[in-house]
């Protein structure tokens, strides 16, 4: 076993009071102590990793996510870390449009809030055609982030007739592409 066994042998060997030859009681005792120290070191490494949002992989992420009213809409470990960092930035001064968008994007949501005037905010999904996956969860998170006095609308992107005309597409080309009505309206 590497790790603490070698360390302890090197540390105690020069003292000459332990018989560290293979198979001796002293060597077995040292092996047992080293195994416990190796286990403790591994647990300390895991605890240190999980204690920081930037390095957490499992328990540390779950415990931080439990602090928020909604679990971030992020599936991968790096996206979960980013969402936690973004949510932890929210404070009493986080209500500018820039801060709202930074927090929304930090939560793993590819959305953008736009001011519409008159106390209205529009949330768009620039990289997504149609309704994004997990929209119910995304909607809840976004509504938790945007100040409650603002009216919030969600805008979904679909193919426009003007885009079809601008590209010069014909129904024959659309049908040749094997599109259904639903797949065609999402072909932005």
């Amino acid at each position: 076993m590497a790790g603490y066994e070698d360390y302890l042998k090197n540390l105690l060997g020069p003292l000459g009071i332990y018989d560290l030859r293979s198979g001796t009681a002293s060597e077995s005792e040292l092996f047992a102590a080293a195994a416990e120290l190796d286990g403790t070191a591994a647990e300390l490494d895991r605890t240190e990793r999980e204690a920081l949002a930037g390095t957490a992989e499992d328990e540390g992420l779950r415990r931080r996510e439990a602090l928020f009213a909604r679990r971030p809409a992020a599936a991968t470990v790096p996206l979960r870390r980013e969402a936690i960092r973004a949510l932890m930035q929210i404070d009493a001064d986080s209500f500018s449009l820039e801060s709202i968008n930074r927090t929304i994007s930090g939560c793993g949501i590819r959305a953008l809030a736009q001011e519409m005037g008159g106390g209205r905010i529009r949330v768009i999904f620039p990289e997504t055609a149609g309704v994004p996956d997990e929209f119910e969860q995304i909607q809840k998170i976004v509504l938790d982030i945007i100040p409650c006095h603002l009216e919030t609308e969600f805008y979904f992107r679909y193919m426009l007739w003007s885009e079809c005309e601008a590209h010069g597409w014909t129904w024959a080309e659309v049908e040749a592409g094997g599109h259904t009505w639903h797949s065609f309206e999402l072909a932005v």
Side-chain angles (χ1 to χ4, degrees), residues 82-96:
E82 188 62 33
I84 289 166
R85 280 193 290 269
L87 289 170
M88 292 178 84
Q89 292 179 46
I90 299 174
D91 61 18
D93 297 326
S94 295
F95 297 121
S96 70

Side-chain angles (χ1 to χ4, degrees), residues 40-178:
T40 301
E43 184 61 24
L44 285 171
D45 287 344
R46 187 194 70 75
T47 301
E48 181 181 23
R49 181 187 69 239
E50 295 298 320
L52 302 171
T55 56
E57 296 174 356
D58 184 40
E59 181 183 0
L61 295 176
R62 281 194 324 272
R63 287 181 180 257
R64 281 176 182 79
E65 289 167 341
L67 298 173
F68 304 109
R70 310 256 185 250
R71 185 179 179 282
T76 66
V77 168
L79 289 176
R80 288 172 67 195
R81 288 176 185 155
E82 188 62 33
I84 289 166
R85 280 193 290 269
L87 289 170
M88 292 178 84
Q89 292 179 46
I90 299 174
D91 61 18
D93 297 326
S94 295
F95 297 121
S96 70
L97 190 60
E98 180 183 330
S99 294
I100 289 169
N101 279 321
R102 187 174 53 247
T103 303
I104 289 172
S105 66
C107 290
I109 300 170
R110 289 179 174 81
L112 184 64
Q114 301 172 326
E115 288 185 89
M116 302 301 292
R120 291 181 33 245
I121 295 279
R122 173 181 283 170
V123 178
I124 64 170
F125 302 90
E127 298 174 17
T128 304
V131 178
D133 294 335
E134 300 181 19
F135 175 69
E136 283 186 32
Q137 176 72 0
I138 291 169
Q139 181 183 30
K140 290 174 185 175
I141 292 169
V142 168
L143 291 175
D144 281 347
I145 293 169
I146 293 178
C148 62
H149 70 281
L150 297 174
E151 180 184 334
T152 304
E153 68 178 43
F154 292 88
Y155 180 82
F156 307 108
R157 176 84 166 90
Y158 293 97
M159 177 73 73
L160 302 174
W161 287 116
S162 59
E163 292 172 313
C164 296
E165 291 170 352
H167 289 290
W169 290 334
T170 66
W171 281 116
E173 291 172 326
V174 171
E175 289 172 354

